[in-house]
Amino acid sequence: MKVTAVDPFALALDLRSGALQPYTSRTQRHLSDMRGAFRDGAALEDLVRGGDPLVYEVLQYDLPEETGQLICCTTVLYPGTVGAEYYMTKGHYHLVRETAEIYLGLSGQGYLLLMTEDGRSWAEPLGPGTVAYVPPAWAHRSVNVGEEPLVFFAVYPGQAGHDYGTIERTGFAQRVLRGPQGPVLA
Ligand code: S6P
Ligand code: ZN
């Protein structure tokens, strides 16, 4: 197997804020990037007109996207709701379905929602110290149900790739809504 030579390195991860030093890419998703994801499209448009808040950002140390490498990144998902639905990530399958991922929760409280193309779905609480395994072929989306940012660190195989299109077409099996007594899975 041919794999790009990379020198060993170490990064500094702030275990509370998720700040990764150094990082080489920063992806920011505002609500206007998430049209179609939330149940209440009218509430989303109101919020976009009111300033288009930042929903989450991902700091990553980029490596060659090839078999043999492991890529790590941190996600900071801000607190908020669109209508009754908590802020969440877009969610994706890996393009190469035969690739898994590990999440390590750092701060905040939320859920990791997972589903497969043959109709299974799963919700795993995600908080400080949670190590969650995303098996191959499971789509994954995180949801912040708390009052502070939900922060987690993730590691995935270099060749994984991201398939957002399938989720944009099918949506996710479960939604997490704010109920009178707290979050409700619907
Ligand atoms: C990457 C991993 C996470 C997400 C991030 C944002 O495989 O699962 O780093 O990229 O949480 O979510 P999304 O669905 O917008 O990529
Ligand atoms: Zn992933």
Side-chain angles (χ1 to χ4, degrees):
M1 183 183 67
K2 233 175 104 55
V3 60
T4 306
V6 176
D7 284 339
F9 63 87
L11 308 174
L13 173 65
D14 185 294
L15 295 177
R16 183 163 174 84
S17 70
L20 193 62
Q21 278 299 336
Y23 61 85
T24 54
S25 68
R26 175 188 213 154
T27 306
Q28 296 192 314
R29 301 265 186 234
H30 291 260
L31 264 188
S32 58
D33 300 314
M34 301 194 65
R35 291 193 162 96
F38 291 92
R39 195 178 62 168
D40 191 340
L44 181 141
E45 293 306 332
D46 280 348
L47 290 163
V48 168
R49 278 191 297 272
D52 195 13
L54 179 63
V55 181
Y56 62 98
E57 46 195 329
V58 181
L59 301 178
Q60 178 163 296
Y61 188 86
D62 296 302
L63 287 172
E65 295 182 350
E66 59 186 26
T67 303
Q69 311 286 357
L70 286 173
I71 299 177
C72 67
C73 57
T74 63
T75 301
V76 180
L77 173 56
Y78 293 101
T81 52
V82 176
E85 194 169 6
Y86 292 102
Y87 277 10
M88 60 193 181
T89 59
K90 283 165 88 86
H92 59 269
Y93 289 94
H94 290 162
L95 219 42
V96 177
R97 295 293 196 266
E98 297 82 4
T99 54
E101 182 158 4
I102 297 274
Y103 275 25
L104 168 62
L106 297 179
S107 61
Q109 289 299 333
Y111 284 94
L112 174 61
L113 301 181
L114 303 110
M115 69 171 194
T116 62
E117 281 165 299
D118 57 9
R120 296 192 65 200
S121 64
W122 202 278
E124 209 49 73
L126 180 61
T130 306
V131 177
Y133 183 59
V134 178
W138 284 77
H140 39 292
R141 159 180 284 170
S142 42
V143 183
N144 185 350
V145 302
E147 308 285 316
E148 48 177 295
L150 175 68
V151 181
F152 59 90
F153 179 75
V155 183
Y156 61 96
Q159 80 276 22
H162 292 85
D163 166 12
Y164 293 102
T166 303
I167 298 300
E168 282 165 11
R169 277 196 307 280
T170 67
F172 239 82
Q174 289 173 296
R175 292 184 182 278
V176 189
L177 306 174
R178 193 200 291 279
Q181 263 95 296
V184 179
L185 283 144

